[in-house]
Amino acid sequence: MTHSLNLKRHLKALAALAVLAALPAFGAAPGDAPSASSDGAALREPPPAFDDIDDVPLPDPDLWQRIRVGFALEPLDSPLVAEQEEWYASRPDYIKRFVDRGSLYLHYIVEQVEKRHMPTEIALLPVVESAFTPRAESRARASGLWQFIPSTGKTYGLKQNWWVDNRNDVVAATQAALDYLQRLHDEFGSWELALAAYNCGEGCVGRAVAWNQKRGLPTDYLSLKLPPETKSYVPKLIAVKNIVLSPATYGIELDSVPDQPYFTTVKAPAKIDVKLAAKLAGMTEEEFVALNPAHRKPVVAASATLVLPIDKVETFQENLENYDKPLVSWTTYNARRGEYVDSIARRYGLTRHELLAVNDTLRLDRRLRLRYAQQVLVPIRRSAAHHGGTSLRTASAGGAAVRAGNGGGNTQWYTVRAGDTLYAIARRFSTGVEALRSLNHLRSHTVLHIGARLRVPDPR
């Protein structure tokens, strides 16, 4: 479907409809006006007409309206825009998904864009780059909402190491992306060229501009010889803008996003398990990771801050202050070259799959041995005495602090099922692998068998 509608004319029509919606009595014929109400009170006089349509108060403006007001890019006269409009409009479920993901981050991004006096179309760029998927990764190894490649990420201060990849950090990557876009705009003097350079690199756009200049040709975006992906890049953004500007024109129902902050940052402990941090905040692990996607391991380490929903901050801080057990259940093991992954996993009560899931950067040979000496993340071995009698302070769904524990050392029987490991059972009953071994007199090389019975802490 192709939309040749003049959007400016459509907006005027929308504004006129807003006037009618705001002033319903104006459309009624004189004979249709109701008389005084049954209790004798006279109806209020209709409000005076507005001299300027911009003065009409619109009901409950949301973040989309704020974004629309800040649009500043000129329409792009290219058939590629219509093609991209058709692509998005034919995928309403796709739009719904990226709006749902983006609702966590969009208010923050819009605020940062406005602080820099940039067009608010820039706030929609993550739709094109990643569909607001904070851990999206491309074939070219670009990563995050803003799809930084490793080298550009490092240039703009985004740390990438064993613990974190700040290209996926919502706050840090947004600041870096806007710094980069501002520099590109300063270099090329046009947001369209800045966006093209963001996609294919400033060298790519610089060479295209120089080629046209040498031949006396225009140097605007549509006149340059650019790679096919870059040719479609700005039209994609303009298509997204047009759909946001007038979703009904494209048969799209855009879910409302509140015009208010969703998250804030809080000081982080030196180290804390991701799972525990989520629990203390009264969040699921998935919800926590969506706001803190930069952490590559199940431990938050070397991070100054955590990102939390505003309404979870007090819960997290109170529960953290009252928590009386270790904040981490993982440590690093300096593995030797040639060690087998399976032997390391067995030593720490894990399956190979569990070990590799938290050590996805290990370099292995075909026999699953370490190619060279490497750090491996493993569960901390704790004694039974260390865990006995301690209580776990967690957050309920409503955010209030509740207390649960192992009942001062009471135990119960657990029957081993298919796929169980000591590590998985220990996590299930809020204890450690070494505590389970001690409680059941198991050796480090003991293999669990389906149907075996183990003593485990009783939470009652």
Side-chain angles (χ1 to χ4, degrees), residues 78-85 221-222 228 231-233 235-236 239:
S78 166
L80 292 174
V81 174
E83 287 180 18
Q84 296 300 329
E85 287 172 347
Y221 171 76
L222 292 177
K231 271 289 188 187
S232 297
Y233 187 72
K236 280 183 182 178

Side-chain angles (χ1 to χ4, degrees), residues 7 28 111 138 159 172 176 213 248 343 375 381 393 417 448:
L7 284 172
E111 282 203 325
S138 74
K159 189 187 302 182
Q213 285 176 334
S343 65
Q375 281 191 327
R381 295 178 174 181
R393 193 166 178 79
R417 296 174 294 191
L448 294 182

Side-chain angles (χ1 to χ4, degrees), residues 196-214:
Y198 189 88
N199 177 252
C200 71
E202 51 260 58
C204 164
V205 173
R207 288 189 294 272
V209 168
W211 196 92
N212 276 26
Q213 285 176 334
K214 188 175 180 179

